[in-house]
Amino acid sequence: MIQQSVRLPLSQLLCSLPQNPKSIPSESTRPRVEFHQRVTNSVTKSTKQKMASQDEQQQQQDPRIPKISSAIRVIPNFPKPGIMFQDITTLLLDTKAFSDTIDLFVERYKGQNISVVAGIEARGFIFGPPIALAIGAKFVPMRKPNKLPGEVISEEYSLEYGKDKMEMHVGAVQAGERALIIDDLVATGGTLSAAIRLLERVGVHIVECACVIELSGLKGRERLGDTPLFVLVNSA
Amino acid sequence: MFAGDQNGLQGDPRLKAISEAIRVVPHFPKPGIMFQDITTLLLDHKAFKDTVDIFVDRYRDMGISVVAGVEARGFMFGPSIALAIGAKFVPLRKPRKLPGIGLLPRCTDGEVISESYVLEYGKDCLEMHVGAVQPGERALVIDDLVATGGTLSAAIRLLERAGAHVVECACVVGLREVKGQHGLNGKPLYILVEPRQQINCSAPSVNGVETCRHDDLILGASFGSPLNPTSKSD
């Protein structure tokens, strides 16, 4: 399948075209000011400046992003009718695109004094460790209930129907550490906000949440409160 | 085969540090099991990096194009190895996690194949996207720990059904002899460290997490004995 970049007017940038939901416009996708606002809140001034200038570079549509986006397979009606599932397993089969994905995160977070990368089960376990290793941080898995063997702290969160629980090992992180939270995709933001709460309860400062894909129509970004969110690919 | 048996890695201090960074948790997931908890290894950046480096050094020149990681702890080690050796990463997942195909009429790549395997009590099942792997590709299977070999055997069968050639299975922790009937279909197995049988109370805590537990010292609870086999959970 040949992916062609498409120029879209600003009003259509965050809408997906029904027949080609992964098309990424060749122009930058967001007004410059949004990124700066999102980054300012939780970081020191020099960090802010560094990340802001990286965002400016991102505005020029990093050339690696279109290939990353087109490596993601969209599967309709999974896990249930009406859901367009963003399947990152095809990204993992593309050695260059997967490597570029990790590089984009590493470039952003290296030198930011981040000592913890928390990855959300299970696809966060795929992206988190390579980033942690490259930036000199430890990796902390945030898991479904009853998987972690030691003493845990838990945080409940809501699903569309019902609730789930996320757990982290006691002692994995220390108060005052700076953390990054990783998952493959942000939808409603429920899972990410549970991870934020878990880490903040033990005094960790979350520098940013990072995902490969954002389903911006579900407004997960708003659910994260003051915590910034950085994504590589936007889908409706 | 153990990493420390080989000429290059005999007495390698990295292996000792890796072993000591792994926490032993007694009675998990059930009484009598001495669980080898690799999450403390992941908190030790140097030991974690060394773990990946040892695997990468072994596999980088073996013409391996696929690293298959078993959900979920295989996901923590596999991708870093895959990235470093230029291979693709293929997740082997629990049932119904991988989106199946039926929905893409012209695309067969999404088809999921399943392989069931026997647990101590009952059965479980591992799945893979059939199009993730091409016939003839050389594959490595990664998991954190091997106990009976049931999970790894299912992984090997999945890859072989898709036409791949499994070069080796690699685990951070495992017994010198894989007990149980499964074997590994004759495939070689490469292990970094043995499980610790005793709670090692002289081990330092790793980032504040104790690597030993002082309560419930079970004298006589052994790892891998017929009555208390190592339990493989995900």
Side-chain angles (χ1 to χ4, degrees):
Chain A
M1 179 173 25
I2 299 171
Q3 282 285 335
Q4 294 181 327
S5 17
V6 173
R7 279 172 179 264
L8 292 179
L10 203 63
S11 59
Q12 281 189 42
L13 285 172
L14 296 181
C15 302
S16 74
L17 305 172
Q19 59 274 31
N20 198 5
K22 289 189 282 114
S23 65
I24 294 292
S26 57
E27 299 283 276
S28 51
T29 58
R30 309 179 86 110
R32 215 166 260 246
V33 65
E34 265 192 313
F35 275 90
H36 288 278
Q37 281 170 350
R38 291 209 171 97
V39 169
T40 45
N41 294 334
S42 318
V43 298
T44 62
K45 195 166 178 205
S46 60
T47 312
K48 263 191 280 186
Q49 283 163 352
K50 182 172 178 198
M51 284 168 115
S53 70
Q54 284 179 336
D55 284 334
E56 286 185 40
Q57 285 168 2
Q58 221 76 49
Q59 294 300 307
Q60 271 105 46
Q61 182 71 283
D62 188 296
R64 293 169 284 185
I65 290 187
K67 292 253 168 68
I68 291 169
S69 175
S70 60
I72 298 165
R73 174 169 61 190
V74 180
I75 297 188
N77 302 314
F78 183 85
K80 47 186 215 258
I83 306 279
M84 301 288 277
F85 186 82
Q86 307 281 324
D87 180 15
I88 51 92
T89 65
T90 43
L91 172 62
L92 310 177
L93 300 179
D94 182 334
T95 51
K96 171 125 196 354
F98 183 26
S99 182
D100 286 346
T101 302
I102 300 300
D103 286 349
L104 281 161
F105 290 125
V106 170
E107 286 161 22
R108 182 175 181 83
Y109 298 115
K110 202 166 198 164
Q112 305 290 335
N113 205 22
I114 289 169
S115 57
V116 179
V117 173
I120 298 181
E121 171 157 16
R123 290 183 287 263
F125 294 176
I126 295 174
F127 297 96
I131 296 167
L133 286 169
I135 69 173
K138 52 194 182 186
F139 178 72
V140 175
M142 313 290 269
R143 297 213 65 174
K144 301 279 183 190
N146 309 313
K147 300 292 178 95
L148 292 170
E151 193 187 346
V152 297
I153 57 169
S154 313
E155 185 73 33
E156 255 190 7
Y157 60 102
S158 302
L159 298 171
E160 194 180 356
Y161 300 110
K163 288 183 165 180
D164 206 343
K165 210 158 63 154
M166 181 182 295
E167 296 187 337
M168 178 175 76
H169 267 146
V170 166
V173 295
Q174 315 301 317
E177 291 204 81
R178 287 165 54 80
L180 177 64
I181 302 175
I182 296 274
D183 207 354
D184 65 322
L185 178 145
V186 52
T188 62
T191 316
L192 281 179
S193 51
I196 292 168
R197 288 196 300 277
L198 250 185
L199 287 161
E200 287 186 338
R201 271 166 60 189
V202 293
V204 168
H205 171 68
I206 292 103
V207 173
E208 198 155 80
C209 291
C211 300
V212 180
I213 304 157
E214 176 182 13
L215 300 184
S216 36
L218 296 176
K219 304 197 196 307
R221 205 174 269 267
E222 292 167 21
R223 222 166 139 179
L224 306 185
D226 289 337
T227 305
L229 170 68
F230 174 74
V231 304
L232 302 184
V233 172
N234 247 296
S235 189
Chain B
M1 151 198 350
F2 273 81
D5 290 347
Q6 303 207 285
N7 292 338
L9 291 174
Q10 254 165 15
D12 190 317
R14 293 179 299 176
L15 293 175
K16 182 164 183 288
I18 289 166
S19 176
E20 287 177 355
I22 295 169
R23 174 171 66 163
V24 178
V25 181
H27 308 315
F28 185 88
K30 48 188 208 267
I33 303 290
M34 303 292 273
F35 189 87
Q36 310 289 306
D37 177 19
I38 52 91
T39 67
T40 46
L41 173 63
L42 308 176
L43 299 179
D44 181 338
H45 180 263
K46 178 164 192 324
F48 184 21
K49 184 167 189 307
D50 288 341
T51 303
V52 171
D53 286 349
I54 292 171
F55 286 129
V56 168
D57 287 342
R58 179 174 178 79
Y59 296 116
R60 64 156 42 95
D61 296 322
M62 285 196 184
I64 288 167
S65 58
V66 177
V67 173
V70 179
E71 171 162 18
R73 288 185 291 264
F75 292 5
M76 300 177 195
F77 298 94
S80 300
I81 298 166
L83 286 162
I85 69 174
K88 46 195 189 187
F89 179 73
V90 174
L92 303 182
R93 297 212 69 175
K94 298 286 174 175
R96 294 174 299 280
K97 300 292 182 79
L98 292 170
I101 158 203
L103 324 151
L104 295 174
R106 285 181 305 282
C107 169
T108 52
D109 286 355
E111 186 184 343
V112 166
I113 52 174
S114 302
E115 191 69 41
S116 62
Y117 57 102
V118 175
L119 296 173
E120 194 179 352
Y121 301 108
K123 286 169 108 168
D124 206 340
C125 185
L126 216 52
E127 296 189 338
M128 181 179 83
H129 271 141
V130 69
V133 167
Q134 308 306 314
E137 289 205 82
R138 290 165 59 79
L140 173 66
V141 181
I142 295 274
D143 207 354
D144 64 322
L145 177 145
V146 53
T148 61
T151 314
L152 287 179
S153 300
I156 293 167
R157 286 195 299 274
L158 271 177
L159 287 158
E160 290 184 337
R161 277 168 61 189
H165 167 65
V166 176
V167 172
E168 196 156 87
C169 294
C171 299
V172 181
V173 192
L175 284 170
R176 208 156 260 287
E177 279 167 35
V178 172
K179 298 202 158 73
Q181 316 84 309
H182 306 280
L184 281 185
N185 307 353
K187 291 296 176 188
L189 174 62
Y190 184 74
I191 300 167
L192 297 192
V193 298
E194 287 189 271
R196 294 211 307 274
Q197 295 205 24
Q198 285 142 337
I199 301 166
N200 181 3
C201 290
S202 61
S205 67
V206 178
N207 285 320
V209 180
E210 293 296 318
T211 56
C212 68
R213 295 262 286 263
H214 293 275
D215 51 300
D216 288 309
L217 270 180
I218 303 294
L219 300 171
S222 64
F223 183 99
S225 74
L227 292 174
N228 295 300
T230 309
S231 183
K232 179 81 189 79
S233 60
D234 58 356

